Amino acid sequence: MFNRLGKFGVAVTVASSALVLVTGTVSHALPDTTGTAVVARPPVTVPSPPPYKQLALKTLDQVVKGNFVAVSARFDDSIRQEGNPAVLANAWKEYQDQLGFGRYQSHGAPRQVVSGDRTVVVVDIPLRMAKQPGYFRVAFDGKGHIEGLWFLKKGVPVP
């Protein structure tokens, strides 16, 4: 349905903090520090990358519940023009009804997969449909925006 793949960035979380409570004397050579607390500087945090598997599950849940407005609100600019809530709703309906998969029953565990385009993160979720198994595939940029979303038959390779 949507096929643009874009850039991906990675951030790392760095956190360090220490709280040392000293009560009583440790040694006769040290000064009395009874009741003294020494506190290090507060931690410095850099944003971590979005939890892609959880984002994929949330996206699938919204699709299954018919909340296509919420899904399309997370599209990046490039696919927002191609895909609006109505287009997404029609694709999901066609996948279930006209392509022979049947109604959604449940899904398996999400799996982050390697793509030839290393600028995105791709997550596959196996679908248990009424008539035959399928796959939900979603590609995210580094900020968690959706850059691609597909309803697939089982076994379609990642580009």
Side-chain angles (χ1 to χ4, degrees):
M1 183 175 136
F2 305 113
N3 58 15
R4 184 190 175 278
L5 300 179
K7 297 189 178 195
F8 170 74
V10 176
V12 178
T13 301
V14 179
S16 65
S17 66
L19 175 62
V20 179
L21 298 175
V22 180
T23 58
T25 56
V26 177
S27 157
H28 293 292
L30 296 174
D32 183 11
T33 57
T34 305
T36 303
V38 178
V39 180
R41 291 186 294 177
V44 176
T45 303
V46 177
S48 61
Y52 298 106
K53 291 179 185 178
Q54 293 302 329
L55 283 173
L57 286 170
K58 177 180 179 179
T59 303
L60 175 60
D61 183 58
Q62 290 171 326
V63 166
V64 169
K65 290 179 178 175
N67 193 351
F68 304 110
V69 171
V71 175
S72 61
R74 293 199 337 262
F75 287 167
D76 77 348
D77 292 336
S78 65
I79 68 168
R80 187 172 290 131
Q81 295 175 10
E82 293 177 41
N84 57 50
V87 170
L88 183 56
N90 287 337
W92 179 236
K93 181 175 179 9
E94 182 178 326
Y95 182 73
Q96 294 179 95
D97 297 341
Q98 297 172 5
L99 297 178
F101 286 88
R103 295 280 170 222
Y104 170 86
Q105 304 294 307
S106 65
H107 63 270
R111 189 172 64 99
Q112 196 165 312
V113 295
V114 177
S115 170
D117 182 349
R118 305 265 183 215
T119 62
V120 297
V121 175
V122 178
V123 178
D124 275 352
I125 302 175
L127 301 177
R128 189 172 143 250
M129 306 297 284
K131 296 181 181 176
Q132 64 176 311
Y135 268 87
F136 175 74
R137 179 173 291 159
V138 62
F140 297 102
D141 69 10
K143 295 179 181 177
H145 296 119
I146 298 170
E147 292 199 355
L149 185 150
W150 301 268
F151 306 113
L152 303 168
K153 66 180 182 176
K154 188 175 180 180
V156 174
V158 177

